[in-house]
Structures are given as C-alpha cells and as structure tokens.
Amino acid sequence: MTQVFNFSAGPAVLPREVLLQVQQELTDWHGTGMCVMEMSHRGKEFTQIIHEAEADLRQLMGIPSNYKVLFLQGGAHFQFSMLPLNLARQDDTVDYVNTGHWSKIAIKEARRYANVNIAASSEDRNFSYVPDEAGWKKTANAAYLHYCSNETIGGVEFPFIPDAGNVPLICDMSSNILSKPVDVSKFGLIYAGAQKNIGPSGLTLAIVREDLLGRARPETPTMLDYKVQADGESLYNTPPTFAIYVAGLVFKWLLAQGGVRAIEQRNIEKAALLYETIDASGGFYHCPVDRANRSRMNVAFTLGDESLDDAFLEGAKARELLQLKGHRSVGGMRASIYNAMTVEGVRALTDYMREFASSKG
Amino acid sequence: MTQVFNFSAGPAVLPREVLLQVQQELTDWHGTGMCVMEMSHRGKEFTQIIHEAEADLRQLMGIPSNYKVLFLQGGAHFQFSMLPLNLARQDDTVDYVNTGHWSKIAIKEARRYANVNIAASSEDRNFSYVPDEAGWKKTANAAYLHYCSNETIGGVEFPFIPDAGNVPLICDMSSNILSKPVDVSKFGLIYAGAQKNIGPSGLTLAIVREDLLGRARPETPTMLDYKVQADGESLYNTPPTFAIYVAGLVFKWLLAQGGVRAIEQRNIEKAALLYETIDASGGFYHCPVDRANRSRMNVAFTLGDESLDDAFLEGAKARELLQLKGHRSVGGMRASIYNAMTVEGVRALTDYMREFASSKG
C-alpha cells in the first residue's frame, strides 16, 4: 500500500498500530464474532471498552476523582452553547480570551446566552501571539473564564495555564489535549473534539469538576445538561460506540509510548525540526507567530513568494506529503503534527522544504 | 472466526459484506494511503463519500428535491429537543401519538417547549397496539403531529402513515427506516438514529422539507438549528465522517439487494417465520402485540413460563444466538431482525425456539 504522511488539521492521522488493530478486530472483536459497531452499548463487551477507555484517560491525564469524564457528541461547537447554558445565567458576565478563529466562534455563541467580557485579545496583530496575562481584564465575579489552549488555524498555543482565581477556568483543548502533561485540577471544565489527538470525529470529550454539575438553565435541552450526561455515565442515550472504542485504543497506544510526558518530548522534537527549517530558510519560509507562542501541533507558515504556493503543494503531493494547505481563512501552509505524526514524517517534510527552497531560491 | 447471529436492538448487526469492505479499506481507502477516519471532512475524498451517500439514500427512499438530507449527531434524543425548538413556539400546541417508550420520551421533552396534546395513546393496553386513526383527537392548527413509526422496545409498528392534513407530519423512524418503501412527500420531517438500519451509532439522519427550515427560536443553540445544518450541507462543523462512510456502504449494499422494495419482502419473510413460530407454540411463547401492529423489525415475545427465561437465553447463547433478552423495562425476549439480519439467522432462531419448546413442553 501507499506510504503517505498526512498533515491534516483534523480529522487527522491516527497511530498506524491503532489502525492495524482496528482492522484486525473489525469483524470479530475478542472472539465475540461481532464488530464493535454491532454491540449493544449496554452489553458487557462495550461496558468493558468504555470503562477501560475512561480508566486509561484518567491515568494519562492524572484526572482527579472529583472530575467526571464524559464521552459526548457534537464537537466543540456543541460545547460553545452547552457551556453558557450550564454555567451562566443571561445576566452573568463570562470572560473570554480571544486568540483566533476558534475563540471567536465560542465568543459569538456565548454572546447569545450571557454578557461576554473579552478579557484579552490578540486581534490587533492578526492573532499571532498570546496576550501577556498581566494585562488581562478579568471580571472578579465572572461565571467562568474561557480560553482556547491551541488555535488550530493560527498555530498559536498557550505556553501557560491562566490563573482564574476562584472563577471556573474553562479550556477548549481540542487540538492539543494529550500532547503534554496538564494539571487538570486547575480547570473547571476541559473539552475537546476527538478528531485531532483522540480518535475519530463525532466524539467529544468533556472533563468536568463535579461541583459544576446541576446548574443548567431550565430551558437547556436535556442532552446538553452536563449533569444528565454525568448521571448517565455517558450512556444516557446511545453514544458513538465505535469512536469510543478507537479512542480507547489511542489511549492504550499513548500509554505504551510512555504517556504524555514521553509524547511531549517527541512533539517538542517534531516542532523544533519544522520551526528551525522555517527560520533557517532566510525568508523563503515565514512563520507569523511569536516564537514563545508557536504551536507544537499546528505549524502555520507562508512562502515569501506566494506565487510558489501551488508548486510547493504539488511537489509535496508528489512525495505523498498530504493536506498541507493552510485554512481557507488565512491561506499559506499548515503542517499539523499531532501525537500520531511520526518524526520520520516531519523529516520527510523538512527535507522536502529545504530542497524546494534551494531549487527555487 | 465465530459465526454468530446478533439480535441486538441497536447498535445492531451490519451487513457482513459491508464490514468486510470496511476491513479491507481500513488502512488505505481507494489507494489514498489514508483511513477514512484520517481524512479532512472538506477534502475531495470525503466530499465524494458524503455526496454518494446522500445520492444513494435519495435514490433508495425516493426523496423529493424539496427535502434536505442532513447527517447529524446526537441520536433521536437530540431530535426530541430540536423539533419543538425549530418548529413550535412556547404557546403552540403540538400533537403527539403515544405508542410506547420512545413516544413517551419525545413527549416528555416536548412538554418543556410547547403545549403537548396527546392525539392518541395505547397506554390503556400496555402499548400493545396502534390506536385506530379514526379516534385520534388532532389539533386543527397544531405546529406539527409527531409519531414513532416503530417502537423498538414494545415491538409495535404502524401499518399506515397518519393523515395530518396541512399540519407537518413528523416521524421518528429510527428503527424501521429503509425497511420498506415510504412516501417521503407525506412528511414534514423524518429522523432516525443510525444504529439500527443505517450504520454505526453517533450518526443521526434527518430528512426535512425545505419550507420548515429557518423557523428556529432565537434561543436555539446554533447546532440545533436545522437551517444552519442545511445551509452547511451537514458540514457546519466536523461531522462523524467514519459513520457517514459506513452508512454510505450500507446504502450501496441495500441498492445491490434490490432496494427497499426487495428488502421489504425479505423482512416480511423473516417476521413471518418468527411470529408463526410463536403463534404455533400453543402458548409456550406469546407475543403481546396485536397482529396488525406487530413489528417487522423487533419481535417481542414472552415465555408462558417465565421461570424458563434464563434457560432459554443460555441455550440460545450456546448456539451463538445473541442479545435476545428483552429491554429491562418490559422483560421477556426480543429478537431484532433489521435489514442486515439474514433469513438464515432467523431460521436458526426459530429452529432453536421449537426445539427448546419441545424439550421443555
């Protein structure tokens, strides 16, 4: 079969070992004669799958016992509504930090349900940095403080966890969850769409501190009430069983790699390879993001001469380096190098980048 | 590998041919070197997958061009909220027919958002029949009329499509969609969780008449607005791509079987085998549902002597006849025989039922 390196921002590359195991077990999971897709979500086989997935995730992230792990549907977009519906009243103030595309969508939805205070924004320099926390204008009694720890499109990543004091800290961690150790106890709620570092799209993870449950507004759709989902142990209705199964295999793969501390080292190495190639290109390639805030997951860069964009992408494709085109809203290039991207894949890309630059430079 | 017959009510058995194709393509879809799970939902490969899935579904169901096909998340439960939020105002009256477990949950959620009129109910005889339409108390200016065409738990199926006049007719078709031809033009909206006759759980299908779009209440979460989903062509956010891919293969499989008219004949044959076995058992087995309303998809039955239930289930399991236990809310047995269940599987079950009855009778 074709060996490709897939730099898609999401849905994204999955560990090869996981895909091979899914393939091997597809028509007969553990001698049951059934595909996981065919199993009742209340049967003993799937119960084992979801319990193991949760236990492995708790181990990987060190999730304290006063946090619930929820396997939900709907992607981060559903969380954008679920959050204010559960944790704010219409006249409450909610604090948001605006660092790019995903922050902006979250803010737009929150404005429909509460008073949004923009505690900080990097829009003044086209979302190329994370504002210094010292200058944030936080609301003392905000219902919560929300930020996006990694902006997938801009390639901007927080190098710190904000200090929200007694205000619940909420994080959209969709595109850098499980890429490094994180102190979960600092958060009220963490959420993440699965399709970057966790598994297939259609699954959304939420990690909620228990004291935040049970606060949903009366008009909240039942399925959007965190307490309903927590009380039902993610089985209030039929969950995306196959996606949970694949996510569980990814968690086991991560444990086998040495956990998030080990994967972080590899992520640092991969990101360094790319940013060094860009910075050493003498302006042939350019990364618009401040050095301290450059994402380890999504490396956004432009070509100094954008008339070479198409040739760059064509040459990449000829080498099976796929999905490198930047998001339509910002242009340029973007290499997403989530946990499952190998160092070998990144080296293939940086080799190509250097060769392309010297052939055109 | 083990050959089993899986009578789960959902997630349920999938066509063997589909699973084998999924397995074969898992790590390399059509020579791309990628698993479908790894593809951008906006790339040309997945665009082809979702367009073919929609086109095949339109052909299978004869969906008129003034209906949108939406690939959503959240299961029927989300539709229970989405429906009144989109199609009713708080002081509107909405008509519901109550024929069992799923009707009741839909009604409970609708009561939070509008005035519910129970147009008809079969609760008086423990949901063992469909009320005669002549006696329904419909509201002349109802915002819509809702019914569940097949009650998965009770095993009760509508043998007719209700006449709602000018009121939009809404149907929860989760457990009998694609099991027989249906005149879509009689409906305002049809919805169905995928995990019975369509594909993996985590995908929900909605077929909406275009004039019903754009009516969502101001407080509706963006993702629960049918118009937003329709305008985004099911790609407003990242959809459950792998589930859509598998559903698309199921649609192609159905077309290869001769479409819904051909599959209906097989479904009639399978249901007849089971009900005849029950009725010919001299009371050893009993089906509580009125003959005219017995489901072709979910055959609910009890043993005359319920102290034999465990022995029946153990004997079945020894023959690899799986997941026959009735829902915890009603007890007894239930054989779900969706499109993907083979006649061979049903014969294996009826053979066993006869032998068990004669060994104990």
Side-chain angles (χ1 to χ4, degrees):
Chain A
M1 56 160 288
T2 323
Q3 159 79 69
V4 304
F5 295 111
N6 172 9
F7 296 93
S8 171
V13 63
L14 288 165
R16 202 74 198 160
E17 299 90 329
V18 166
L19 289 178
L20 290 170
Q21 184 171 349
V22 170
Q23 183 172 45
Q24 192 253 316
E25 307 183 328
L26 197 93
T27 60
D28 185 9
W29 185 83
H30 294 199
T32 59
M34 293 186 283
C35 175
V36 173
M37 289 182 230
E38 301 176 302
M39 293 175 182
S40 167
H41 55 297
R42 301 197 189 276
K44 73 176 188 332
E45 295 87 359
F46 184 72
T47 301
Q48 178 190 334
I49 287 170
I50 192 169
H51 284 176
E52 279 187 27
E54 178 176 339
D56 289 340
L57 180 70
R58 284 186 176 275
Q59 183 183 342
L60 280 165
M61 294 186 69
I63 300 173
S65 60
N66 63 324
Y67 286 73
K68 293 282 186 188
V69 171
L70 306 179
F71 296 98
L72 305 175
Q73 299 186 53
H77 272 90
F78 266 82
Q79 298 303 306
F80 298 161
S81 319
M82 205 162 164
L83 191 54
L85 279 169
N86 277 264
L87 298 184
R89 293 292 172 275
Q90 192 71 47
D91 54 359
D92 281 348
T93 296
V94 291
D95 281 359
Y96 278 73
V97 181
N98 183 11
T99 51
H101 183 91
W102 292 104
S103 300
K104 279 164 79 173
I105 301 180
I107 289 164
K108 189 176 170 196
E109 188 74 359
R111 284 202 166 113
R112 304 177 60 218
Y113 298 106
N115 301 312
V116 173
N117 168 53
I118 305 298
S121 170
S122 57
E123 194 157 16
D124 59 337
R125 283 204 284 119
N126 200 24
F127 300 117
S128 59
Y129 69 104
V130 173
D132 182 357
E133 197 179 1
W136 293 15
K137 295 190 176 68
K138 298 174 195 169
T139 307
N141 60 345
Y144 58 79
L145 168 64
H146 179 279
Y147 77 112
C148 175
S149 57
N150 184 70
E151 286 281 355
T152 321
I153 290 175
V156 173
E157 186 167 10
F158 274 68
F160 61 90
I161 295 176
D163 178 6
N166 289 324
V167 169
L169 180 63
I170 315 291
C171 184
D172 177 356
M173 221 174 263
S174 293
S175 53
N176 71 347
I177 193 168
L178 291 169
S179 70
K180 60 183 177 185
V182 163
D183 183 353
V184 174
S185 74
K186 298 197 177 207
F187 296 87
L189 189 156
I190 293 168
Y191 63 88
Q195 64 271 18
K196 285 102 164 48
N197 260 338
I198 296 172
S201 61
L203 171 65
T204 307
L205 204 67
I207 301 165
V208 199
R209 211 174 60 210
E210 284 174 350
D211 64 288
L212 298 179
L213 300 171
R215 302 186 184 186
R217 298 186 194 184
E219 70 269 28
T220 307
T222 299
M223 295 290 298
L224 294 187
D225 181 340
Y226 288 119
K227 185 171 187 337
V228 169
Q229 298 285 0
D231 289 349
E233 299 189 332
S234 304
L235 298 171
Y236 180 79
N237 75 335
T238 314
T241 53
F242 193 74
I244 292 170
Y245 154 71
V246 177
L249 295 182
V250 171
F251 299 155
K252 285 190 192 302
W253 174 83
L254 263 175
L255 287 168
Q257 305 298 304
V260 288
R261 205 166 290 278
I263 210 79
E264 180 187 35
Q265 291 312 310
R266 207 164 81 185
N267 287 332
I268 289 172
E269 181 189 355
K270 291 184 301 186
L273 279 169
L274 265 161
Y275 289 117
E276 283 163 13
T277 303
I278 292 164
D279 292 341
S281 71
F284 190 88
Y285 302 110
H286 172 69
C287 172
V289 181
D290 284 7
R291 273 167 201 262
N293 306 137
R294 288 176 172 180
S295 170
R296 288 180 190 158
M297 298 284 102
N298 310 97
V299 178
F301 61 97
T302 54
L303 272 64
D305 177 1
E306 69 181 32
S307 75
L308 294 174
D309 281 6
D310 288 347
F312 179 84
L313 288 167
E314 276 165 35
K317 200 173 174 195
R319 294 180 179 222
E320 304 291 3
L321 304 165
L322 306 181
Q323 315 214 51
L324 283 162
K325 196 170 181 177
H327 190 270
R328 60 194 189 286
S329 65
V330 294
M333 307 297 153
R334 176 175 49 168
S336 295
I337 50 173
Y338 299 117
N339 288 345
M341 174 53 66
T342 57
V343 176
E344 178 197 4
V346 175
R347 284 197 193 280
L349 175 57
T350 52
D351 286 351
Y352 167 65
M353 286 170 70
R354 274 187 297 270
E355 286 173 39
F356 183 82
S358 45
S359 76
K360 304 288 181 185
Chain B
M1 57 159 286
T2 324
Q3 157 80 69
V4 303
F5 296 111
N6 173 9
F7 296 93
S8 172
V13 63
L14 289 165
R16 204 72 200 162
E17 299 89 330
V18 167
L19 288 178
L20 290 170
Q21 185 171 350
V22 171
Q23 183 173 44
Q24 192 253 315
E25 306 182 329
L26 198 92
T27 60
D28 185 9
W29 185 83
H30 294 200
T32 57
M34 293 186 282
C35 175
V36 173
M37 289 182 230
E38 301 177 301
M39 292 173 181
S40 167
H41 55 298
R42 301 197 189 275
K44 72 177 189 328
E45 296 87 358
F46 184 72
T47 300
Q48 177 190 336
I49 287 171
I50 192 169
H51 285 176
E52 279 187 26
E54 178 176 340
D56 289 339
L57 181 70
R58 284 186 176 276
Q59 183 183 342
L60 280 164
M61 294 186 68
I63 300 173
S65 61
N66 62 325
Y67 286 73
K68 292 282 188 189
V69 171
L70 307 179
F71 296 97
L72 306 175
Q73 299 187 53
H77 272 91
F78 267 80
Q79 298 303 306
F80 297 161
S81 319
M82 204 162 164
L83 191 55
L85 279 168
N86 277 265
L87 298 184
R89 292 293 173 274
Q90 192 71 49
D91 55 359
D92 280 348
T93 296
V94 291
D95 281 358
Y96 278 73
V97 181
N98 184 10
T99 52
H101 182 90
W102 291 104
S103 300
K104 279 164 76 173
I105 302 181
I107 289 164
K108 188 177 170 195
E109 188 74 358
R111 283 203 167 114
R112 304 177 60 217
Y113 299 105
N115 301 312
V116 173
N117 167 54
I118 305 298
S121 171
S122 57
E123 194 157 15
D124 59 335
R125 285 204 283 121
N126 200 24
F127 300 117
S128 58
Y129 69 104
V130 173
D132 182 356
E133 196 179 2
W136 293 14
K137 294 189 176 67
K138 298 174 194 167
T139 307
N141 59 345
Y144 58 79
L145 168 64
H146 179 279
Y147 77 112
C148 175
S149 57
N150 184 69
E151 285 281 355
T152 322
I153 289 175
V156 173
E157 187 169 8
F158 275 68
F160 61 91
I161 295 176
D163 178 5
N166 289 325
V167 169
L169 180 64
I170 316 291
C171 184
D172 177 355
M173 220 175 265
S174 293
S175 53
N176 71 346
I177 192 168
L178 292 168
S179 69
K180 60 184 177 185
V182 162
D183 182 353
V184 174
S185 75
K186 299 199 173 197
F187 295 87
L189 190 157
I190 292 168
Y191 64 87
Q195 65 270 19
K196 285 102 163 52
N197 259 339
I198 295 172
S201 62
L203 171 65
T204 306
L205 203 68
I207 302 165
V208 198
R209 212 174 59 211
E210 284 173 349
D211 63 289
L212 299 179
L213 300 171
R215 301 187 184 185
R217 299 184 194 185
E219 71 269 28
T220 306
T222 300
M223 295 289 297
L224 294 186
D225 182 338
Y226 288 118
K227 184 170 189 337
V228 169
Q229 297 285 1
D231 289 350
E233 299 190 332
S234 304
L235 298 171
Y236 179 78
N237 75 337
T238 315
T241 52
F242 193 74
I244 292 170
Y245 154 69
V246 177
L249 295 182
V250 170
F251 299 156
K252 286 191 189 301
W253 174 84
L254 264 175
L255 287 168
Q257 306 297 303
V260 288
R261 205 167 290 279
I263 210 78
E264 179 187 34
Q265 291 312 310
R266 208 165 80 183
N267 288 332
I268 290 172
E269 180 189 355
K270 291 184 300 186
L273 279 169
L274 265 162
Y275 289 118
E276 283 163 12
T277 303
I278 291 164
D279 292 341
S281 70
F284 190 89
Y285 302 109
H286 172 69
C287 172
V289 181
D290 284 7
R291 273 166 202 265
N293 306 137
R294 289 177 172 180
S295 169
R296 288 179 191 160
M297 297 285 104
N298 311 97
V299 179
F301 62 98
T302 55
L303 272 63
D305 176 359
E306 70 182 32
S307 74
L308 294 174
D309 281 6
D310 289 346
F312 178 84
L313 288 167
E314 277 165 36
K317 201 172 174 196
R319 293 180 179 221
E320 305 290 3
L321 304 165
L322 305 180
Q323 314 214 52
L324 284 162
K325 196 171 180 174
H327 189 270
R328 61 195 188 285
S329 65
V330 296
M333 307 296 152
R334 176 175 49 167
S336 295
I337 51 173
Y338 300 117
N339 288 346
M341 173 54 65
T342 57
V343 176
E344 179 197 4
V346 175
R347 284 196 193 281
L349 174 57
T350 52
D351 287 349
Y352 167 65
M353 287 170 70
R354 274 188 296 271
E355 285 171 42
F356 184 81
S358 42
S359 75
K360 304 286 182 185

